[in-house]
Amino acid sequence: MSTDSVSRAEGTPDEPMPYAELGMKREEYDRVREILGRRPTGSELAIYSVMWSEHCSYKSSKVHLKQFATKAPKSEALLVGMGENAGVVDIGDGWAATFKIESHNHPSYVEPHQGAATGVGGIVRDIMSMGARPIAVMDALRFGGADQDDTRRVLPGVVEGISHYGNCLGLPNIGGEVVFDPCYIGNPLVNALCVGLLRKDQIKLAVAPGPGNKVVLFGASTGPDGIGGASVLASATFEDESHAKRPAVQVGDPFMEKLLIECCLELYAADVVVGIQDLGAAGVSCATTELAAKGTGGMHVDLNLVPLRDPSLVPEEILMSESQERMMAVVRPADIDAFMAICERWDVPATVIGEVTDTGRLVMTWNGETIVDIPPGTAADEGPVYERPLHEPAGQVALNSDTPDGLARPADLRATLLQLLGSPNLASKEWVTGQYDRYVRSNTVLAQPADAGMLRISEAIAGAEPTTRGIALSTDGNGRYAKLDPYAGAQLALAEAYRNVAVTGAKPLAVTNCLNFGSPEDPEVMWQFAEAVRGLADACRTLGVPVTGGNVSFYNQTGSTPIHPTPVVGVLGVIDDVAKRVPTGFTGEGLRVALLGETSAEFGGSEWAHVVHGHLGGLPPQANLVAEQALGAVLVEAARRGLLEGSHDLSDGGLAIALAESCLARGVGATVALSGEPFTDLFSESASRALVVVRPESFDELAALCFEHEVPCYGLGVTGGTSLVVEDVLEVPVEELRATHTGTLPALFG
Amino acid sequence: MARVIVDVMLKPEILDPQGQAIARALPRLGFSGVSAVRQGKRFEVELDGPADEAALADVRKMAETLLANTVIEDFTLRVEG
Amino acid sequence: MARVIVDVMLKPEILDPQGQAIARALPRLGFSGVSAVRQGKRFEVELDGPADEAALADVRKMAETLLANTVIEDFTLRVEG
Amino acid sequence: MTAARVGVVTFPGTLDDQDAARAVGLVGAQAVPLWHADHDLKGVDAVFLPGGFSYGDYLRCGAISRFAPLMEELIPAARAGLPVLGTCNGFQILCEAHLLPGALTRNASLHYVCRDQRVRIESADTAWTGAFEAGQEIVLPVKHGEGRYVASAETLAELESAGRVVVRYVGGNPNGSMNDIAGIRNEAGNVVGLMPHPEHAVEDLVGAPSTDGLGFFTSILKKLVNA
Ligand SMILES: Nc1ncnc2c1ncn2[C@@H]1O[C@H](COP(=O)(O)OP(=O)(O)O)[C@@H](O)[C@H]1O
Ligand SMILES: [Mg+2]
């Protein structure tokens, strides 16, 4: 049977098309017919179905995500906002940073190693496509219960995939999270973040201007990767059984991606790229429609020219293939030779597959026949938008009334400290981070176990002007808090990431986020989503940090049971003089320990309630953003003045865990005294708090600075010795803390 | 005391970056006449007893659940000797 | 269009932690009766032409210099089909 | 006096070349980039083969790189006495190229390992360790998945008896290497390979919490200036 061409479609208007199998609603299909004035060809249907999918079109989330723009605080730092491959912020001295976090949840459940690896690969290409050199990655992970069987399958594979791909690219891994909760069994979350640097005047965008310019596909060849949907189409259109079983798993080739990085940077330096786009989900469909839609509006592509790994692929499959390690560039004809020479130097295959036109149409041919002829904007930008119904979950009120007030308080606080410290969520993550290269490129100022990762930037791009500046990044999120109150939970995620950046001495500047939720077709999930977005947008406005980009991952559920709503927030900050970074924890003996911020009895969603009682109920800690901002201001100013010898934020597990981790950082003990009720002082999870250590002679200046910013400052004690001593309450040798902290994950995962 | 060989190869439609890298290197090393290389794994499983049907069924199960990742790999068994 | 298989295994005296890890995992997964497992590599080399003597000599050379590291590995060739 | 010129090789997939060049510069020598596809050593006085995943580490680490055009120049030059230091992937390439005996295999733990490792300098009479004292203990980062050194019993005996083990792991062996070997040299002492990364331990601000790696770079500088 011959290809389903435009002329054939015109002649067979009533031929049934498998739109439903491709996940399209009847109304959506009708709209395509209306746009085209005829039935779509198989290839056109392939394009519209992927471009209008939830993943590419954000059709369920768009109406809510708008708030990130409408409520955005004024920020002079924002150079490129939401809507591009990644946001770009001005970090001073002519430098800009671009960063983004993205999910690869479902593929990582199906094939943990490859799923996680290609998650890293995808986000790195997003950063490359902004014209930047990727300089580091982070990974925020959620798994089922640590002792559940499937976690033992998924976690080692995910970590190995991230490790292998990131290490091969030569990108240091500077932070992340590992969280266990039975709600993620069957739906692990793998959120990967990449940050890149570029000169402010070198930003690249995904545009295809200038009729006559060439469209170049470069990198790996195209194979039948991730085209489950397309195979339906191909087999339906071609009645060919062999296409029915195409694999859904994408396999990554980090070596090719490393070559692509170096190749792209040389292409940028040679100024032979007019527009560029990475190929991610929806591959060639997405790259061509988006490039064309943002340029002069027209493009002609000969699909026969796409280099194939498997020669049996048909146009629909080529259009939907998610083969990794591919990029598309728009190049002036005069620069083509130079472009190709650079690709050849890096052993990167490159092929001209079409050219930019001024017709306003995206036209594709196959064996000389026209198989696609569409206005590209209708696929790229004018997808359906849904205002989905939402309502508060039926059990929400009951959940919130089931407070932790009635839970038995522990008699033995020492035992409670050790129980929490060795619990999977609070235990050392070294089993994971030890598999990641944190040193490569020699720009890593802080990495695990620091609260935020930090990089110096002056040497990231050869030949650029030096600067003393550095950037810091942290990602945080707490599904239990968000389950109790998605509005507050999203704010608390932002607050924690903001605090983690500030404790290192960097000033928080901008935000990225990955919103992991259940099905948007479930009104209760949609309510959680809407609340979380509203909370995050409001908090960003109060804290003065704009959202620059992010990603939404829906359908994280098993049957009708969704995961806890899990907004993961990444914050990027800038430190003017990276030599003044504040290291984590107790860095020496004889230092004064101070607690900044106010503590009240807040145990809803706490690690204590979770670990000791398996309880989730009540309300999460209060998100006091004004207090958070004041704390941040104190930390940044104190670091600037060189007052801080060490610091650590308070979060999961409260003061007790922060003290223990601070001792573990360098093996230095401390003796502290509490002023309030010991259990609350030690285990409450009140937000907006941090521990700092200062030389004794600096304490008064710190206290005065805190007073000025209305941040409570309590002298707790001094560092030194080989034990953590909480006077009249508990005493634990640092070595015992260490054994408890480091033993858990190796015992679970080998 | 029998030995069963389990050969595990990536499914044909799955990208094999290792095999590709080797194939690309060959001409540079002066080898011509090779059109493709695929790299897989080979396991030698030593049995305590003979390779009877029950034992082979066991090894097949082992291959399916542990030695091969059947999401992306195929395997074959054969008794050696 | 012949296919030559090159099997590469660690020399018996070289520690094979992958094989050992598999062997150790087997009892936990309910498999008994396996005394040892060794893991090696398998290459499928597709030739443009027939697997005649000259071609086989070429593949042998390739195995010796590239596919196997003869300091620690042994290899065997065989023509498939 | 012109600065000592140390070549730093880049293969496709090399990662630590800039780090190595920076370390070379920090001690006052001049780093000269060398490209894998060139038959040209650019007249350098010494060569640093940095770490990474050349050719993706596909097949075996270093197996494909050792056939690069540049290696066709480097191998005879090293045999003739040119000082060469290979770290991590560079060490693997030197073994694959038979400039050093033995091989580097998958870590016994089967995991990639990145950690700050205590090591002992066993031999200070190589081109790259002259600035140390034999027996000195230092901290260098290791970061590799295939760093377990193996060799035949005769080779091991020969390495040990001839004092050709240059660096040894102490306080824990990160990969299961035979005899805790972290680095070795050729007979002449001009070619050294080690798994740890001196180039990531040269500045206070970044990298490992140690600047002990500087000694490898001052060693070669001293050697070249005195030559
Ligand atoms: N998946 C991961 N990838 C990289 N680094 C991680 C990962 N998980 C945890 N880390 C790092 O380990 C350290 C401790 O983590 P955690 O206890 O979760 O920190 P915090 O409670 O301060 O957020 C941090 O430096 C964190 O960035
Ligand atoms: Mg923290």
Side-chain angles (χ1 to χ4, degrees):
Chain A
M1 185 181 250
S2 70
T3 313
D4 189 24
S5 63
V6 169
S7 60
R8 190 175 166 275
E10 279 163 349
T12 54
D14 301 320
E15 183 162 308
M17 299 298 286
Y19 63 88
E21 287 88 334
L22 294 173
M24 268 188 144
K25 297 263 173 345
R26 177 78 217 184
E27 308 85 77
E28 293 173 351
Y29 179 66
D30 287 343
R31 247 199 82 208
V32 172
R33 292 191 66 123
E34 194 184 310
I35 287 168
L36 299 179
R38 57 174 164 79
R39 80 156 170 88
T41 64
S43 297
E44 289 166 340
L45 185 61
I47 292 177
Y48 281 100
S49 71
V50 288
M51 292 307 293
W52 288 7
S53 69
E54 187 65 58
H55 185 80
C56 292
S57 74
Y58 289 81
K59 57 189 168 192
S60 303
S61 53
K62 232 178 200 162
V63 293
H64 301 283
L65 298 179
K66 274 200 314 241
Q67 295 170 75
F68 292 144
T70 57
K71 292 180 181 173
K74 288 239 171 321
S75 165
E76 280 167 16
L78 195 59
L79 299 174
V80 174
M82 290 193 316
E84 287 296 331
N85 284 311
V88 183
V89 287
D90 187 341
I91 54 174
D93 296 340
W95 289 84
T98 173
F99 71 126
K100 188 178 171 190
I101 187 165
E102 203 166 72
S103 67
H104 227 217
N105 302 340
H106 186 65
S108 302
Y109 174 68
V110 176
E111 213 305 288
H113 181 115
Q114 294 299 341
T118 52
V120 174
I123 192 65
V124 167
R125 286 192 299 281
D126 267 327
I127 294 307
M128 276 157 64
S129 68
M130 299 308 296
R133 174 180 274 285
I135 54 165
V137 294
M138 301 174 79
D139 56 316
L141 310 177
R142 304 286 184 283
F143 302 100
D147 51 1
Q148 284 182 284
D149 271 351
D150 205 44
T151 302
R152 261 172 246 225
R153 172 186 72 96
V154 174
L155 180 141
V158 164
V159 171
E160 216 178 80
I162 292 168
S163 148
H164 181 63
Y165 206 101
N167 293 348
C168 264
L169 293 188
L171 294 178
N173 186 310
I174 59 166
E177 303 162 80
V178 181
V179 178
F180 301 94
D181 191 295
C183 78
Y184 302 110
I185 199 80
N187 293 282
L189 304 184
V190 175
N191 293 180
L193 179 149
C194 181
V195 57
L197 279 184
L198 64 162
R199 298 295 295 172
K200 203 170 133 171
D201 51 8
Q202 306 271 303
I203 299 171
K204 296 278 178 221
L205 296 176
V207 291
N213 283 341
K214 301 294 180 194
V215 178
V216 185
L217 185 60
F218 62 118
S221 54
T222 299
D225 305 272
I227 52 171
S231 60
V232 178
L233 215 154
S235 61
T237 315
F238 294 85
E239 290 144 21
D240 175 359
E241 281 297 301
S242 73
H243 289 278
K245 279 217 164 53
R246 295 294 199 187
V249 176
Q250 309 142 25
V251 171
D253 179 357
F255 173 55
M256 177 57 85
E257 181 116 329
K258 168 67 178 169
L259 298 183
L260 265 184
I261 293 176
E262 301 304 329
C263 179
C264 280
L265 286 161
E266 271 193 36
L267 293 171
Y268 300 152
D271 198 18
V272 294
V273 174
V274 176
I276 188 152
Q277 169 78 297
D278 59 299
L279 274 71
V284 172
S285 295
C286 183
T288 52
T289 54
E290 290 194 349
L291 280 171
K294 289 202 188 122
T296 30
M299 187 181 284
H300 185 280
V301 170
D302 182 353
L303 273 189
N304 289 101
L305 297 176
V306 173
L308 301 180
R309 193 173 87 229
D310 172 350
S312 75
L313 293 190
V314 297
E316 290 86 342
E317 293 176 317
I318 295 169
L319 285 166
M320 289 176 101
S321 163
E322 296 186 352
S323 288
Q324 302 290 299
E325 292 96 21
R326 296 179 299 164
M327 303 281 287
M328 189 174 283
V330 176
V331 182
R332 286 178 295 263
D335 293 331
I336 279 287
D337 288 346
F339 187 103
M340 294 296 175
I342 290 171
C343 289
E344 198 173 307
R345 175 174 148 82
W346 285 102
D347 265 332
V348 170
T351 314
V352 174
I353 62 162
E355 78 179 44
V356 177
T357 65
D358 56 6
T359 59
R361 311 283 293 184
L362 172 63
V363 175
M364 296 189 184
T365 55
W366 178 254
N367 296 338
E369 287 190 276
T370 299
I371 54 166
V372 171
D373 185 353
I374 63 171
T378 59
D381 309 318
E382 292 157 37
V385 175
Y386 294 130
E387 197 130 358
R388 300 224 185 247
L390 41 93
H391 69 69
E392 192 177 295
Q396 196 70 26
V397 172
L399 183 69
N400 293 144
S401 350
D402 176 22
T403 70
D405 298 350
L407 301 177
R409 296 315 195 238
D412 182 348
L413 295 180
R414 183 183 197 276
T416 305
L417 165 62
L418 291 173
Q419 187 184 358
L420 288 188
L421 191 64
S423 70
N425 284 341
L426 297 179
S428 167
K429 301 306 181 313
E430 220 174 287
W431 189 90
V432 173
T433 58
Q435 297 186 46
Y436 300 154
D437 183 350
R438 57 182 181 273
Y439 293 133
V440 64
R441 298 198 71 75
S442 296
N443 293 316
T444 306
V445 176
L446 296 174
Q448 67 86 30
D451 289 315
M454 188 182 286
L455 300 159
R456 78 169 160 196
I457 59 183
S458 69
E459 307 197 18
I461 299 177
E465 291 134 70
T467 168
T468 60
R469 287 169 197 255
I471 56 173
L473 285 141
S474 177
T475 72
D476 287 285
N478 186 318
R480 291 198 309 269
Y481 291 172
K483 168 90 174 169
L484 297 179
D485 179 350
Y487 181 87
Q491 300 203 323
L492 287 162
L494 173 64
E496 188 179 346
Y498 182 98
R499 191 183 323 136
N500 275 324
V501 164
V503 291
T504 66
K507 185 172 162 28
L509 197 65
V511 172
T512 184
N513 68 102
C514 191
L515 304 172
N516 305 277
F517 287 77
S519 166
E521 294 160 46
D522 175 346
E524 300 191 343
V525 168
M526 214 46 220
W527 176 83
Q528 293 174 327
F529 181 80
E531 284 297 286
V533 171
R534 191 170 66 85
L536 185 56
D538 287 348
C540 286
R541 185 170 49 184
T542 309
L543 289 176
V545 284
V547 171
T548 62
N551 173 246
V552 176
S553 172
F554 280 131
Y555 299 102
N556 294 288
Q557 60 180 52
T558 307
S560 61
T561 311
I563 59 165
H564 290 340
T566 311
V568 171
V569 180
V571 168
L572 178 139
V574 175
I575 184 164
D576 291 342
D577 182 356
V578 72
K580 294 192 170 167
R581 87 290 189 193
V582 182
T584 297
F586 300 157
T587 49
E589 310 241 333
L591 301 172
R592 291 279 302 270
V593 181
L595 171 64
L596 312 186
E598 205 60 80
T599 306
S600 49
E602 297 184 283
F603 291 100
S606 69
E607 213 53 56
W608 168 74
H610 176 69
V611 171
V612 177
H613 295 283
H615 177 270
L616 177 59
L619 287 171
Q622 202 200 338
N624 182 341
L625 301 168
V626 175
E628 200 65 60
Q629 197 164 30
L631 175 68
V634 164
L635 290 166
V636 172
E637 175 60 17
R640 201 189 59 80
R641 294 191 202 168
L643 295 178
L644 306 181
E645 296 297 311
S647 63
H648 192 26
D649 82 307
L650 271 66
S651 59
D652 309 351
L655 178 64
I657 295 300
L659 285 169
E661 288 174 347
S662 296
C663 289
L664 289 171
R666 306 265 173 109
V668 175
T671 300
V672 300
L674 304 174
S675 51
E677 193 272 309
F679 171 70
T680 300
D681 276 359
L682 285 174
F683 295 102
S684 163
E685 295 187 2
S686 296
S688 317
R689 296 182 299 162
L691 271 182
V692 295
V693 286
V694 297
R695 289 180 306 276
E697 65 272 21
S698 305
F699 189 84
D700 289 345
E701 188 178 347
L702 174 72
L705 182 64
C706 287
F707 183 77
E708 208 179 294
H709 286 86
E710 298 179 34
V711 171
C713 171
Y714 301 97
L716 291 188
V718 291
T719 62
T722 56
S723 292
L724 170 61
V725 180
V726 179
E727 281 176 356
D728 305 324
V729 179
L730 59 82
E731 172 167 356
V732 189
V734 175
E735 280 322 301
E736 187 177 349
L737 293 174
R738 189 177 305 287
T740 304
H741 193 232
T742 54
T744 307
L745 293 200
L748 284 164
F749 301 105
Chain B
M1 294 106 15
R3 171 182 289 179
V4 184
I5 307 293
V6 182
D7 285 324
V8 177
M9 298 299 291
L10 283 169
K11 295 187 178 183
E13 64 272 22
I14 297 277
L15 174 71
D16 172 16
Q18 303 219 51
Q20 285 194 346
I22 297 166
R24 271 203 308 268
L26 290 176
R28 267 183 282 128
L29 310 184
F31 296 106
S32 57
V34 173
S35 59
V37 177
R38 290 183 73 80
Q39 176 170 345
K41 295 176 198 159
R42 176 190 148 95
F43 297 91
E44 297 182 354
V45 180
E46 311 283 344
L47 301 180
D48 288 332
D52 55 19
E53 252 181 61
L56 278 181
D58 245 26
V59 176
R60 173 172 304 279
K61 182 117 183 288
M62 198 184 297
E64 243 163 42
T65 52
L66 186 66
L67 303 182
N69 174 355
T70 52
V71 177
I72 52 174
E73 294 169 327
D74 292 327
F75 66 90
T76 56
L77 298 194
R78 84 199 125 83
V79 181
E80 200 178 65
Chain C
M1 307 286 328
R3 169 183 290 182
V4 184
I5 308 292
V6 182
D7 286 325
V8 176
M9 298 300 289
L10 282 170
K11 295 190 174 183
E13 66 271 21
I14 302 277
L15 174 74
D16 170 19
Q18 307 196 63
Q20 288 190 346
I22 294 165
R24 270 199 311 272
L26 290 176
R28 264 187 284 128
L29 302 176
F31 296 106
S32 57
V34 171
S35 58
V37 178
R38 290 184 70 79
Q39 176 171 342
K41 295 175 195 161
R42 175 188 150 96
F43 298 92
E44 297 182 354
V45 180
E46 311 282 344
L47 301 179
D48 289 331
D52 53 19
E53 254 181 61
L56 279 180
D58 244 26
V59 177
R60 173 170 304 276
K61 180 121 181 287
M62 196 185 301
E64 239 165 44
T65 53
L66 181 68
L67 301 182
N69 176 354
T70 52
V71 175
I72 50 168
E73 294 168 326
D74 294 325
F75 67 90
T76 56
L77 296 196
R78 85 199 124 84
V79 180
E80 199 179 66
Chain D
M1 190 192 81
T2 55
R5 298 170 75 242
V6 179
V8 176
V9 184
T10 301
F11 296 95
T14 294
L15 305 178
D16 298 319
D17 44 352
Q18 289 178 4
D19 314 78
R22 181 184 293 133
V24 165
L26 276 178
V27 299
Q30 187 196 340
V32 179
L34 299 179
W35 182 245
H36 71 104
D38 295 340
H39 276 278
D40 187 359
L41 289 174
K42 298 195 180 156
V44 293
D45 306 309
V47 169
F48 192 110
L49 281 177
F53 290 74
S54 59
Y55 291 97
D57 274 356
Y58 293 141
L59 187 56
R60 281 184 320 280
C61 306
I64 299 179
S65 310
R66 74 124 148 160
F67 292 101
L70 186 86
M71 291 301 290
E72 288 173 24
E73 308 302 316
L74 183 62
I75 291 171
R79 294 225 158 91
L82 181 74
V84 178
L85 176 66
T87 65
C88 199
N89 197 219
F91 185 11
Q92 293 161 340
I93 294 170
L94 291 174
C95 288
E96 285 282 344
H98 306 302
L99 284 170
L100 292 173
L104 293 147
T105 59
R106 188 86 187 267
N107 293 352
S109 67
L110 301 180
H111 293 305
Y112 182 98
V113 57
C114 174
R115 75 183 199 201
D116 305 319
Q117 173 72 42
R118 182 157 283 280
V119 297
R120 186 168 58 233
I121 303 289
E122 299 281 31
S123 160
D125 53 4
T126 78
W128 299 91
T129 51
F132 295 104
E133 275 166 38
Q136 189 178 343
E137 290 193 6
I138 62 173
V139 171
L140 297 176
V142 291
K143 46 187 198 92
H144 57 253
E146 307 199 16
R148 178 169 53 98
Y149 184 75
V150 300
S152 67
E154 308 85 80
T155 303
L156 270 188
E158 150 70 16
L159 288 175
E160 292 289 358
S161 66
R164 285 172 55 191
V165 175
V166 178
V167 184
R168 215 185 292 272
Y169 302 117
V170 292
N173 178 334
N175 50 36
S177 273
M178 288 177 157
N179 295 17
D180 296 330
I181 286 174
I184 57 172
R185 65 172 173 83
N186 66 350
E187 258 170 89
N190 64 308
V191 178
V192 173
L194 47 142
M195 283 318 291
H197 289 264
E199 77 282 10
H200 290 306
V202 294
E203 290 177 273
D204 279 323
L205 182 65
V206 295
S210 137
T211 53
D212 295 340
L214 278 174
F216 291 84
F217 299 93
T218 52
S219 295
I220 190 66
L221 187 66
K222 200 171 75 181
K223 161 112 188 156
L224 294 177
V225 171
N226 291 343

